[in-house]
Amino acid sequence: MTPEALLDLAREAMMKAYAPYSGFFVGAALLTKSGKVYQGCNIENAAHTPTCCAERTAFFKAVSEGEREFRAIAVVGGKGGNITGLFPPCGVCRQVMMEFCQPDFLIYMGKENGGYEAVPLEKLLPYGFSSGKCMQ
Ligand code: THU
């Protein structure tokens, strides 16, 4: 699966965003090491706190289906579904990635012109918390 193909699936997921409060439509496509893809969109809530980001929707769908090994995630987003620049994952989503992914897990952030930036998790979340590392 190419980064471009994964980004296409993230754009498809973005169209399903439920974002009546912020107007930001976000889509993610998460690639497992076995080659399966799980899509996710942001799902907002009138009480705000229950809102789930697109990345976590994709991770929670995958993990709840038994997946534990991931290679990469593509993320796109923008106001009203118009991609106007990078939409980097929030800190909470980075921490969820940290729970299941290796330092070389790749985050493809889509740009308005169809291009993307690829950043490994170790660069996106340096010094991230991991109980495995802290409790030894
Ligand atoms: N959002 C995501 O889906 N992913 C992120 O990493 C950052 C923020 C969503 C949450 C909310 O629905 C909207 O973008 C504005 O914050």
Side-chain angles (χ1 to χ4, degrees):
M1 164 87 45
T2 63
E4 287 82 1
L6 203 58
L7 281 156
D8 277 346
L9 292 171
R11 277 188 284 272
E12 183 182 275
M14 182 179 71
M15 299 307 169
K16 301 199 173 97
Y18 176 73
Y21 305 104
S22 77
F24 280 102
F25 282 48
V26 191
L30 175 62
L31 179 65
T32 69
K33 285 194 176 169
S34 67
K36 273 185 83 172
V37 175
Y38 291 84
Q39 292 169 292
C41 62
N42 55 329
I43 304 167
E44 297 188 345
N45 189 279
H48 298 296
T49 315
T51 292
C52 193
C53 292
E55 299 91 322
R56 274 179 289 143
T57 302
F59 265 95
F60 295 159
K61 280 173 68 178
V63 172
S64 66
E65 294 297 324
E67 303 287 354
R68 291 292 186 274
E69 296 197 315
F70 303 100
R71 199 170 296 291
I73 191 168
V75 186
V76 294
K79 202 87 180 170
N82 297 309
I83 300 166
T84 51
L86 297 182
F87 209 88
C90 79
V92 173
C93 289
R94 294 177 197 203
Q95 185 62 38
V96 168
M97 292 172 195
M98 179 89 190
E99 186 71 26
F100 295 105
C101 305
Q102 306 300 312
D104 63 353
F105 175 78
L106 278 174
I107 296 98
Y108 301 120
M109 293 172 281
K111 292 183 186 175
E112 64 277 24
N113 59 7
Y116 65 92
E117 278 185 33
V119 181
L121 181 58
E122 62 187 336
K123 284 232 174 90
L124 216 56
L125 187 62
Y127 293 93
F129 178 75
S130 139
S131 59
K133 281 182 202 138
C134 296
M135 291 168 74
Q136 53 189 306

